[in-house]
Amino acid sequence: MNFFMYREYRVRELIDETMKSVMEAACSFDSDRVTVIDNAGGVRTVEHFDISTDVTEESEEEYSDTGLVLEVGDMARAHWIQLHKLNKQAHVIQNTFLYMLEKYKHIRPVWQFGMKIDDTNPDWKLKLYDDFYFRHHCASVQSAITMIMENMDDRECLQKLLNEIGAHHFFYDTSEPHLDIFIDSMLTTMKKQLVGANKMDSDSEQSWRLLLKDVKTFMSEGIAIQRNVYLRQCMTSSEIENIRSKWEKVLEFGLVEAGEILCDKAIQTYDKLLETHNMRMDVPLGRPSEVFKQFAEHTMKALDVTTKSHSETTGFCTLPDKVKDFVVTCMVLDICPTFARRAMMDGMFTMLSRVLGDQELNESILRTWSKLYRVLEQAIIVNIVEY
């Protein structure tokens, strides 16, 4: 019993130590020395920020094959240590995020620095490198990977640690598909930009893939656990009863008409958010159209199912199975999830204002309805992950 208590204590201690070291590393002079380009060097170009491909004879000799036979699981760690000695870790992480933000525009709003990007400006990458929050986040990820490397020999401890980190990421708008994007981006970045002594050979790549697969598995477990807790506990009995009483008025108003009000406002808000944040993406629906009407009807039916699915014992845990058909019918792949949520909530509040009147709504009630949409969103994500 004491052994398991110690393990739990050690996991918590590691998390606390990591968070502290991340903050210190991100704000320290040494961290800035690695990640910030000195402005005194005159006019800069993007090339100044790329990983250096210059390899000296001295570095080649220092990091050449030592004759040691490494286990597959250790080769990624050896490669990461080598990148540290060559002062390349920060560059790898920064260029990984740059690759993600350039290729996968729909995930930019996950981070504040992502929403500031204006890729019509040819210098947007330079501005991103100068953003404190971008550097801070990259330093945090760099420290987290180092922590994983230091604890990968104790698989049980690593699993609990990554479960905890995954659970935290649930509240950062992160879902399991984001982990796939990060893994693909990091491996692509290392393959494209690391050469010479830094190069990732086929054995190292295989080791990285196995390690990152474990990271994804354990973090996904944490996200799923936290999602399940949220679905079970997010709403009190009085809150769901209040929602159900008001939903009766929505039913009397008419689901079709209410749905068109909701979706019309949501599309307007979504389009405006894309324009405000310089994200050139197609708006998936247009009014008037038959597809719009069908989507509005399906959306309101999904909300109707959501209001009815809550139980005292399991909360909303049965909802994912109940909205599976809705997800299959209405899945839209080319969309920005963060903006979609904000748009749909704005649409829902507009619909409620029209149906109930502003006098029936206050900040507390709107917060409760926000949780209702968040519940439906998480049930949708469960089905997308399992699709």
Side-chain angles (χ1 to χ4, degrees):
M1 182 67 177
N2 289 336
F3 173 77
F4 290 107
M5 290 177 64
Y6 172 75
R7 275 191 174 279
E8 293 291 338
Y9 164 78
R10 182 56 183 152
V11 169
R12 292 288 180 181
E13 187 178 54
L14 281 170
I15 293 169
D16 292 341
E17 290 174 357
T18 301
M19 294 302 105
K20 182 179 179 181
S21 65
V22 164
M23 293 299 294
E24 290 176 349
C27 299
S28 69
F29 174 80
D30 287 339
S31 175
D32 281 349
R33 178 182 61 81
V34 173
T35 61
V36 181
I37 306 301
D38 189 357
N39 287 322
V43 178
R44 297 170 298 159
T45 63
V46 174
E47 285 73 15
H48 286 116
F49 295 95
D50 289 338
I51 296 176
S52 172
T53 59
D54 296 331
V55 182
T56 64
E57 291 182 3
E58 181 180 352
S59 64
E60 285 279 16
E61 293 175 1
E62 184 179 356
Y63 300 109
S64 62
D65 185 10
T66 62
L68 295 176
V69 179
L70 298 176
E71 295 292 334
V72 173
D74 289 331
M75 296 190 74
R77 176 162 52 189
H79 187 229
W80 186 247
I81 292 171
Q82 179 176 325
L83 292 177
H84 169 70
K85 292 178 178 179
L86 294 173
N87 207 22
K88 300 299 182 185
Q89 286 182 356
H91 292 286
V92 168
I93 301 303
Q94 288 179 348
N95 280 278
T96 294
F97 274 91
L98 186 64
Y99 177 85
M100 281 196 296
L101 293 167
E102 186 171 25
K103 183 176 181 181
Y104 304 101
K105 293 184 179 182
H106 63 283
I107 67 170
R108 289 180 182 177
V110 171
W111 306 280
Q112 285 296 321
F113 55 78
M115 288 198 289
K116 298 177 184 178
I117 293 174
D118 178 8
D119 52 17
T120 61
N121 183 343
D123 295 328
W124 71 270
K125 295 178 183 179
L126 301 180
K127 290 186 176 182
L128 185 63
Y129 278 113
D130 278 338
D131 188 288
F132 169 80
Y133 295 102
F134 173 76
R135 300 196 311 269
H136 180 276
H137 186 73
C138 290
S140 300
V141 174
Q142 179 185 345
S143 297
I145 294 175
T146 299
M147 175 192 63
I148 290 169
M149 297 298 186
E150 291 172 349
N151 294 277
M152 62 185 291
D153 293 329
D154 189 339
R155 188 174 177 82
E156 184 179 352
C157 179
L158 182 64
Q159 180 179 10
K160 291 182 179 180
L161 189 63
L162 290 172
N163 282 175
E164 193 74 27
I165 293 174
H168 280 290
H169 276 70
F170 171 82
F171 297 104
Y172 301 152
D173 268 354
T174 300
S175 59
E176 293 86 339
H178 289 128
L179 303 178
D180 288 316
I181 289 176
F182 177 80
I183 290 172
D184 172 71
S185 299
M186 186 171 180
L187 290 172
T188 300
T189 298
M190 288 195 289
K191 283 192 291 185
K192 283 185 174 181
Q193 299 199 28
L194 295 178
V195 298
N198 310 319
K199 186 176 181 179
M200 180 176 66
D201 59 26
S202 58
D203 290 336
S204 295
E205 180 182 348
Q206 177 65 10
S207 181
W208 272 108
R209 288 189 183 279
L210 292 173
L211 174 63
L212 293 174
K213 181 180 178 182
D214 276 349
V215 171
K216 178 199 169 184
T217 298
F218 296 152
M219 284 190 66
S220 295
E221 288 174 358
I223 294 172
I225 290 168
Q226 186 59 58
R227 180 185 294 122
N228 188 66
V229 171
Y230 183 83
L231 291 175
R232 187 181 297 273
Q233 300 178 359
C234 69
M235 201 169 290
T236 65
S237 299
S238 60
E239 286 176 330
I240 191 62
E241 286 304 318
N242 184 274
I243 282 180
R244 284 171 175 167
S245 66
K246 288 179 168 54
W247 189 253
E248 289 298 323
K249 296 182 181 180
V250 176
L251 294 175
E252 293 173 6
F253 184 85
L255 287 183
V256 174
E257 186 176 353
E260 291 186 3
I261 294 171
L262 187 158
C263 292
D264 187 44
K265 180 62 176 179
I267 290 172
Q268 292 178 35
T269 302
Y270 183 76
D271 193 28
K272 186 175 181 179
L273 285 168
L274 291 179
E275 182 181 356
T276 300
H277 296 283
N278 301 295
M279 291 179 60
R280 294 181 299 280
M281 298 175 64
D282 293 332
V283 177
L285 296 172
R287 183 177 183 180
S289 70
E290 189 61 32
V291 174
F292 170 84
K293 292 180 180 179
Q294 291 176 0
F295 179 75
E297 182 179 356
H298 285 306
T299 299
M300 294 306 290
K301 287 181 178 178
L303 286 170
D304 185 50
V305 170
T306 304
T307 60
K308 295 175 181 176
S309 69
H310 184 274
S311 73
E312 290 287 340
T313 54
T314 62
F316 292 99
C317 287
T318 61
L319 182 60
D321 286 337
K322 295 178 180 179
V323 297
K324 186 173 294 184
D325 290 341
F326 168 72
V327 176
V328 173
T329 303
C330 299
M331 185 184 295
V332 180
L333 297 179
D334 188 18
I335 197 170
C336 175
T338 305
F339 287 168
R341 177 200 295 169
R342 289 169 61 178
M344 291 298 286
M345 284 187 178
D346 194 23
M348 185 167 64
F349 297 157
T350 299
M351 179 272 292
L352 291 172
S353 176
R354 184 82 62 87
V355 174
L356 304 175
D358 291 337
Q359 69 279 2
E360 291 287 328
L361 303 176
N362 56 44
E363 186 176 346
S364 176
I365 291 174
L366 292 179
R367 189 180 300 113
T368 303
W369 281 89
S370 296
K371 288 194 287 186
L372 184 76
Y373 180 77
R374 172 79 161 160
V375 162
L376 176 57
E377 177 192 61
Q378 292 305 311
I380 291 171
I381 290 174
V382 169
N383 282 283
I384 291 175
V385 171
E386 297 176 353
Y387 187 69

